[in-house]
Amino acid sequence: MSKFRKQHMSIDWHEIVGEESYEPAVNATLKEKSSLVERVGMMMLSVGTGAWRVRASMNKIARALGIVCNADIGLLTIECTCIENGETHTNEITLSTTGVNTDKLNELEHFADGFAERAGKYSVLQFHRILDKIAEIPPNYKAFNLALASGLACCGFTFLLGGGPVEMILAFFGAAVGMFVRKKLLERHITLLANVSAAVAAACVTYIILFRLSQYLFNVSEVHQSGYICSMLFVIPGFPLITGGIDLAKLDLRSGLERLTYALLIILMATVTGWVTALLLNSYPADLPELVMNPVLKMVIRLICSFCGVYGFSFLFNSKRKMAVTAGLIGMIANTLRLELIDFTNIPAGVAAFIGAFTAGLLASAMKTKAGYPRITLTVPSIVIMVPGMFLYKGIYYLGAYDIANGGMWLTKAFLIIISLPLGLIFARIFTDNNFRKSS
């Protein structure tokens, strides 16, 4: 018998409902109705979406069942009270960990949207069986597929950060190995900081070993060694950074602060691991060699690399290929616009990031009507590529070397861009969504 004891016990939702009954859900007891509201909220939270969307889905279920729901939502917990005819039912639900799964998010959105018309026909137990099927949907991609997607994304990211063919090729292999290691550790439920540290170390070591080998075989210049930073950018927690900012804008302070703390933990662990690995292997984050090319050609390659970056990152969020392509097209336009504004105008990088995210939000709103995907499954993947992972790494690296001036400069640049990205999405949502625009 295994000595391993789970720290978070699972909930048997069928046990709460009891024996099978074909009584419509609208006629069920408050405890049974609450179980549906709570489970939908828990499943929405588990796929990485923010508190505003979790609460919106719980409210859809509650209204259809004729009850009132009040919920306090964090990163891993929901405290929920349901009220009906003077009776109350309070429960707290806790997740063991968090992640991002846009495919399940899409399925849960469709479930919540269609719940009202079925609440008078299906029993609570039947609804739980539908949720069982959604919960049991397997991941769309294996570790090898995610490794290739991560390599493709970081390869595109490398060019957008100023890298050339050498850095792009080496970053592809470094990121692929790093993501493969992380996926295998996640399958074994290895804790967050350990899997992030191992993945980043694997990516950096792979890049630097291949670089040294290419130096020996092809006499590659030493200036290309700093591209190892690009190989570790697949761990940058874009989803919690963006959704945390959105939650803060909706005054969901608990969820917003917890998400930002979670993202900060990953960033610190990744950057410190990269820094230590670089010191051990005698590498350093110098500026990438400048690429000289025709502006039109550069813009075309940026379009292609932006699409590849967003498309690859969407796989890491478990998006289906059609969803990934849609997000890729949005990110291709928004990110290239951002970079062109930086190159050809005096607009600061933070303002350009705001414009890029705002554009992505508007495009996602337009695509939502045609494609039918939730906005967040398109907007966040499309702007994750704008998160300044290299700036964050350089800031930590220089602080670790006691170069406070350079470290502070890079972290300040990163901070201004990071706060601009969710702001861009927020204002796009304010302009296009009446429900989001109003406080109640």
Side-chain angles (χ1 to χ4, degrees), residues 36-176:
L36 280 177
V37 175
E38 293 159 3
R39 189 177 186 188
V40 168
M42 185 189 76
M43 291 179 69
M44 288 290 290
L45 194 63
S46 71
V47 297
T49 191
W52 186 84
R53 189 172 291 273
V54 173
R55 183 176 289 105
S57 296
M58 294 174 73
N59 288 343
K60 287 177 184 177
I61 307 302
R63 290 191 185 101
L65 295 173
I67 62 176
V68 174
C69 169
N70 283 296
D72 183 23
I73 302 168
L75 175 67
L76 296 175
T77 59
I78 300 176
E79 296 169 9
C80 175
T81 297
C82 294
I83 307 168
E84 183 183 36
N85 298 325
E87 183 183 356
T88 64
H89 181 273
T90 300
N91 202 1
E92 180 172 350
I93 313 160
T94 303
L95 298 172
S96 59
T97 187
T98 186
V100 180
N101 191 325
T102 54
D103 188 26
K104 281 189 181 180
L105 172 57
N106 186 42
E107 293 294 329
L108 289 167
E109 284 270 320
H110 287 309
F111 174 86
D113 289 340
F115 184 86
E117 63 186 42
R118 295 183 291 179
K121 303 174 184 177
Y122 290 18
S123 69
V124 172
L125 189 59
Q126 287 173 315
F127 279 122
H128 275 299
R129 286 174 176 166
I130 295 173
L131 292 173
D132 287 341
K133 291 181 179 179
I134 295 175
E136 293 166 1
I137 296 175
N140 292 324
Y141 311 107
K142 303 293 185 182
F144 181 73
N145 303 114
L146 294 178
L148 292 178
S150 179
L152 177 66
C154 289
C155 179
F157 217 146
T158 302
F159 179 84
L160 299 173
L161 291 171
V166 173
E167 291 89 353
M168 292 171 71
I169 294 170
L170 297 181
F172 174 89
F173 288 105

Side-chain angles (χ1 to χ4, degrees), residues 87 108 140 246 251 305 313 370 391 403 433:
E87 183 183 356
L108 289 167
N140 292 324
I246 294 172
L251 298 184
C305 288
F313 281 130
K370 295 183 178 180
F391 291 6
D403 188 345
D433 186 345

Side-chain angles (χ1 to χ4, degrees), residues 180-194:
F180 186 85
V181 169
R182 189 179 191 201
K183 177 63 176 175
K184 288 299 182 182
L185 292 177
L186 286 171
E187 289 174 355
R188 288 165 174 75
H189 307 289
I190 301 301
T191 192
L192 175 71
L193 298 185

Side-chain angles (χ1 to χ4, degrees), residues 203-213 225 228 277-278 281 283:
C204 292
V205 168
T206 300
Y207 183 101
I208 295 171
I209 288 176
L210 290 177
F211 169 72
R212 300 299 181 198
L213 186 61
Q225 64 87 28
Y228 73 89
T277 305
L281 297 177
S283 295

